């Protein structure tokens, strides 16, 4: 069963007005829309203006003949899939082979039978429709397979990362808790010992020489003054480690099957804390400055672990871009910076903007940046999955939008729009 669109038509190309009239009437009576051309040049011009569903093409015509017309049409990628049926009285094998080699799908000998013409036209239109449907199905299945593959990779990466980070955080937690719980008693013990030593110094004006020598050697006054400071520094450091442990656990939180309320600022801060080592100066490269300008936002209903992975991918790419621009000597006198802004972009939506003044990208790269397996990084450094996964998480999992603006050698900004 052929289903032709209202705009589809069969183009008949023949220099004989009688043939044009007979074929047109026959095809119209069979329900086909028809247009005609009397030579190859006008046929090519007509096809360029509006491609037909099928072409009936006479071989022997003045000007350019049917073979040359067919060759010109098949050379154009936009028209090469239009089925062409030759009509000719030259039924010898050589001409038939030549026509098929140029891309024709069939031959109709002259004089022709109307029923045969209609049957062949109907058959080839049906074959074309089946081919188009098959190509569309292959394209759709390929796209679906790529999306499924990206999703599986994303889930596996998130699962492995979550298990690793959660395991590290758990193992860190026990020794940290031990140190934190013992620092306060240690401070009390040292305070007691300091008090006893001070009493001894006050009540014994003349200590034995061996004790006096030991006091002089260790500089007891400085020791008693500095030891509480050391303990305070240790306490601050352990609190810092506790913060990192909490951030690791938050970053790798296991998502439930439903979305939960989540503070995106908390996710950004946790991710920045984990990446903090990459912001520090390295060799001649200066420290990367991170500027945060957070608006007052309500919590977003989302999958927190997946959203944190989006932040991680974009921020890690920003650091890579800044390192590249520094290595190429294009930011020698300028500071390297990442700016993070949040705002209510429209009713019911929040926007997170992450911008760097790194290497930037061309328009060609920008258009490909979210595509599956596309990467500009060297082998072993990039897989082409990070931004594809991020795009899928934001757009498909959260119903949001993701945009990128970039200027080569000036920087890049990613904008993430999320519905509340």
């Amino acid at each position: 069963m052929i289903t032709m669109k209202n705009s589809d038509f069969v183009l008949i190309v023949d220099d004989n007005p009688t043939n044009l009239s007979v074929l047109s009437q026959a095809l119209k009576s069979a329900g086909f829309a028809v247009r005609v051309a009397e030579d190859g040049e006008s046929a090519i011009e007509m096809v360029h203006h509006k491609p037909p569903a099928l072409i009936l093409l006479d071989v022997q015509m003045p000007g350019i003949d049917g073979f040359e017309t067919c060759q010109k049409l098949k050379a154009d990628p936009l028209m090469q899939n239009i089925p062409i049926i030759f009509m000719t009285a030259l039924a010898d094998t050589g001409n038939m082979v030549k026509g098929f080699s140029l891309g024709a799908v069939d031959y109709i000998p002259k004089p022709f039978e109307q029923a045969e013409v209609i049957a062949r036209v109907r058959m080839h239109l049906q074959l074309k429709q089946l081919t188009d449907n098959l190509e569309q199905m292959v394209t759709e299945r390929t796209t679906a397979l790529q999306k499924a593959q990206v999703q599986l990779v994303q889930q596996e990466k998130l699962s492995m990362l979550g298990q690793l980070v959660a395991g590290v955080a758990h193992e860190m937690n026990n020794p940290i808790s031990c140190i934190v719980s013992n620092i306060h008693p240690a401070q009390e013990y040292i305070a007691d010992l300091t008090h006893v030593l001070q009493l001894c110094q006050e009540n014994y004006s003349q200590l034995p020489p061996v004790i006096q020598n030991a006091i002089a050697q260790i500089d007891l006054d400085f020791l008693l003054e500095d030891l509480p400071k050391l303990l305070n520094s240790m306490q601050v450091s352990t609190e810092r480690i506790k913060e990192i442990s909490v951030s690791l656990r938050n970053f790798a939180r296991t998502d439930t099957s439903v979305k939960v309320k989540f503070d995106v600022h908390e996710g950004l801060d946790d991710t920045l804390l984990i990446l903090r080592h990459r912001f520090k100066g390295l060799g001649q490269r200066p420290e990367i400055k991170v500027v945060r300008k957070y608006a007052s936002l309500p919590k977003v209903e989302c999958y927190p672990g997946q959203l944190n992975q989006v932040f991680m991918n974009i921020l890690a790419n920003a650091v890579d871009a800044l390192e590249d621009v520094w290595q190429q000597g294009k930011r020698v006198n300028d500071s390297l910076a990442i700016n993070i802004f949040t705002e209510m972009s429209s009713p019911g939506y929040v926007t997170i903007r992450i911008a760097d003044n790194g290497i930037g990208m061309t328009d060609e790269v920008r258009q490909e940046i979210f595509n599956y397996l596309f990467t500009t990084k060297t082998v072993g450094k990039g897989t082409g999955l990070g931004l594809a996964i991020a795009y899928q998480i934001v757009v498909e999992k959260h119903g949001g939008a993701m945009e990128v603006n970039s200027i080569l050698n000036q920087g890049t900004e990613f904008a993430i729009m999320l519905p509340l």
Side-chain angles (χ1 to χ4, degrees):
M1 181 66 181
I2 302 173
T3 304
M4 291 187 67
K5 301 176 184 177
N6 292 333
S7 58
D8 287 344
F9 63 94
V10 175
L11 175 63
I12 306 172
V13 186
D14 198 316
D15 63 323
N16 188 316
T18 303
N19 288 340
L20 288 178
S21 176
V22 171
L23 286 173
S24 296
Q25 291 300 322
L27 291 173
K28 286 179 181 179
S29 65
F32 297 103
V34 176
R35 293 187 184 180
V36 299
E38 295 183 351
D39 54 61
E41 291 90 342
S42 59
I44 293 172
E45 184 179 349
M46 188 178 295
V47 173
H48 273 290
H49 179 68
K50 187 172 181 59
L54 181 143
I55 300 174
L56 288 172
L57 181 60
D58 186 25
V59 172
Q60 293 179 305
M61 293 186 299
I64 61 172
D65 62 13
F67 291 138
E68 188 176 352
T69 302
C70 178
Q71 190 173 21
K72 288 179 179 294
L73 291 173
K74 292 298 180 180
D76 190 328
L78 298 177
M79 295 179 284
Q80 61 185 4
N81 292 326
I82 301 173
I84 296 177
I85 300 176
F86 277 126
M87 303 179 297
T88 181
L90 303 175
D92 61 279
T93 304
N95 279 298
M96 293 179 68
V97 170
K98 181 178 180 180
F100 286 127
S101 67
L102 292 173
V105 296
D106 205 350
Y107 259 91
I108 296 177
K110 290 183 178 181
F112 43 71
E113 293 290 337
Q114 293 185 18
E116 180 184 3
V117 173
I118 293 171
R120 289 177 184 266
V121 168
R122 183 173 282 117
M123 178 188 69
H124 285 293
L125 284 174
Q126 190 170 11
L127 287 174
K128 175 66 165 54
Q129 191 174 70
L130 290 172
T131 302
D132 290 344
N133 291 341
L134 181 60
E135 290 177 352
Q136 184 178 356
M137 288 175 62
V138 170
T139 301
E140 290 174 353
R141 292 293 175 87
T142 302
T143 302
L145 182 61
Q146 288 181 347
K147 288 183 178 180
Q149 189 173 6
V150 170
Q151 187 173 0
L152 286 173
V153 171
Q154 181 259 326
Q155 290 174 344
E156 185 65 21
K157 285 179 66 177
L158 190 59
S159 175
M160 293 177 63
L161 179 63
Q163 292 176 16
L164 173 64
V165 173
V168 170
H170 178 73
E171 292 300 320
M172 288 173 56
N173 194 52
N174 290 334
I176 291 170
S177 298
C178 177
I179 295 172
V180 170
S181 60
N182 286 324
I183 283 181
H184 185 66
Q187 289 173 323
E188 293 180 345
Y189 297 159
I190 289 172
D192 291 340
L193 290 173
T194 301
H195 180 63
V196 170
L197 288 173
Q198 289 173 343
L199 289 175
C200 289
Q201 287 180 311
E202 292 171 359
N203 292 283
Y204 291 92
S205 58
Q206 189 63 37
L207 293 172
V210 64
I211 296 177
Q212 291 182 5
N213 290 336
I215 290 173
Q217 288 178 0
I218 66 173
D219 194 356
L220 182 61
D221 291 338
F222 173 77
L223 187 150
L224 294 176
E225 180 183 354
D226 194 53
L227 189 54
K229 296 178 181 179
L230 290 178
L231 284 174
N232 287 333
S233 297
M234 292 172 62
Q235 186 173 18
V236 171
S237 297
T238 54
E239 291 297 329
R240 180 68 176 164
I241 297 174
K242 278 182 65 180
E243 290 177 4
I244 295 174
S245 178
V246 170
S247 294
L248 287 172
R249 290 200 301 273
N250 289 339
F251 179 84
R253 69 178 74 197
T254 303
D255 285 330
T256 60
S257 58
V258 295
K259 296 177 181 178
V260 297
K261 294 289 186 179
F262 178 62
D263 185 349
V264 295
H265 297 154
E266 178 185 323
L268 286 166
D269 290 340
D270 290 337
T271 307
L272 289 170
L273 189 61
I274 293 170
L275 286 173
R276 188 177 181 185
H277 68 285
R278 295 202 62 190
F279 301 144
K280 296 179 179 178
L282 183 64
Q284 295 296 317
R285 196 212 77 194
E287 178 184 3
I288 296 173
K289 297 179 180 179
V290 178
V291 179
R292 285 172 275 196
K293 294 183 180 179
Y294 294 164
S296 178
L297 300 179
K299 291 186 176 181
V300 175
E301 202 170 81
C302 64
Y303 301 105
Q306 295 184 19
L307 205 55
N308 284 340
Q309 188 180 3
V310 173
F311 298 152
M312 175 67 77
N313 287 341
I314 294 177
L315 286 166
N317 282 343
V319 175
D320 291 340
L322 290 168
E323 290 180 344
D324 288 344
V325 81
W326 176 262
Q327 289 174 2
Q328 295 181 21
K330 296 175 180 177
R331 286 287 185 278
V332 176
N333 298 319
D334 299 330
S335 60
L336 305 180
I338 296 175
N339 294 284
I340 306 174
F341 307 92
T342 62
E343 61 183 355
M344 288 290 297
S345 53
S346 61
Y349 278 83
V350 300
T351 297
I352 302 104
R353 300 184 185 277
I354 301 175
D356 64 71
N357 61 341
I359 195 67
M361 63 186 81
T362 62
D363 287 340
E364 291 76 13
V365 171
R366 183 177 57 81
Q367 292 172 4
E368 299 281 344
I369 200 71
F370 297 123
N371 288 347
Y372 176 69
L373 296 181
F374 177 82
T375 181
T376 58
K377 298 179 181 178
T378 57
V379 176
K381 191 174 181 181
T383 62
L385 290 174
L387 289 177
I389 288 173
Y391 187 85
Q392 188 180 71
I393 289 173
V394 172
V395 177
E396 297 183 15
K397 293 292 186 67
H398 291 85
M402 198 167 174
E403 298 175 353
V404 57
N405 297 304
S406 185
I407 300 176
L408 189 62
N409 297 323
Q410 293 190 30
T412 301
E413 180 191 73
F414 284 90
I416 304 165
M417 284 74 76
L418 295 170
L420 292 177

